[in-house]
Amino acid sequence: MTTPPGVRKDASASRQNVAELVERLQKALTSSLGSLAEGTVPLVDVLREGAKALEPGPGGKRLSPKEREAWGVQLEATLERLEDVMEGLQLAVRAQAGGKRD
């Protein structure tokens, strides 16, 4: 079985990619929401923790299938909550800007 071009094979690369995505998300939130992005920090921290749990580093403990499923459910709920929080904060940003729309 071959790996498609551009897809990394090793777990280290996968962990790094997930960590990078979470950091990019945090930067995007800060960029679009300014200081109000602080309201998303606890949720992003859960995403970061879940990513580490699902993709442990070398020597890290692998989760059981049941634990992986539980993390998946928690991360899905966290992403949904983050979406709701972002929508509310975007409304606050617009209100601060005098009601201007994108």
Side-chain angles (χ1 to χ4, degrees), residues 27-34 90 93:
K27 287 179 184 178
L29 291 168
T30 300
S31 175
S32 66
L33 300 173
Q90 287 170 335
V93 167

Side-chain angles (χ1 to χ4, degrees), residues 3 7-20 51-60 62 68:
T3 303
V7 176
R8 296 180 182 176
K9 293 181 184 180
D10 63 15
S12 174
S14 176
R15 276 189 305 282
Q16 184 177 7
N17 288 340
V18 173
E20 287 174 8
K52 287 178 184 176
L54 292 171
E55 291 292 337
R62 299 289 298 170
R68 291 182 68 78

Side-chain angles (χ1 to χ4, degrees), residues 8 17 19-20 23 36 38 42 45 49 57 59 69 75 79-80 87-88 98:
R8 296 180 182 176
N17 288 340
E20 287 174 8
E23 293 311 312
L36 293 177
E38 288 297 316
D45 286 346
E49 181 182 349
E69 183 179 337
L75 293 176
L79 286 169
E80 289 174 8
E87 288 173 1

Side-chain angles (χ1 to χ4, degrees), residues 17-95:
N17 288 340
V18 173
E20 287 174 8
L21 284 174
V22 173
E23 293 311 312
R24 287 175 47 198
L25 173 62
Q26 184 71 62
K27 287 179 184 178
L29 291 168
T30 300
S31 175
S32 66
L33 300 173
S35 64
L36 293 177
E38 288 297 316
T40 66
V41 170
L43 297 168
V44 174
D45 286 346
V46 171
L47 296 177
R48 189 176 290 114
E49 181 182 349
K52 287 178 184 176
L54 292 171
E55 291 292 337
K61 178 186 172 217
R62 299 289 298 170
L63 299 177
S64 71
K66 188 174 184 176
E67 290 170 317
R68 291 182 68 78
E69 183 179 337
W71 264 112
V73 169
Q74 182 176 356
L75 293 176
E76 184 177 347
T78 300
L79 286 169
E80 289 174 8
R81 179 73 178 129
L82 180 59
E83 182 180 20
D84 293 342
V85 169
M86 286 170 39
E87 288 173 1
L89 292 173
Q90 287 170 335
L91 290 173
V93 167
R94 287 186 189 124

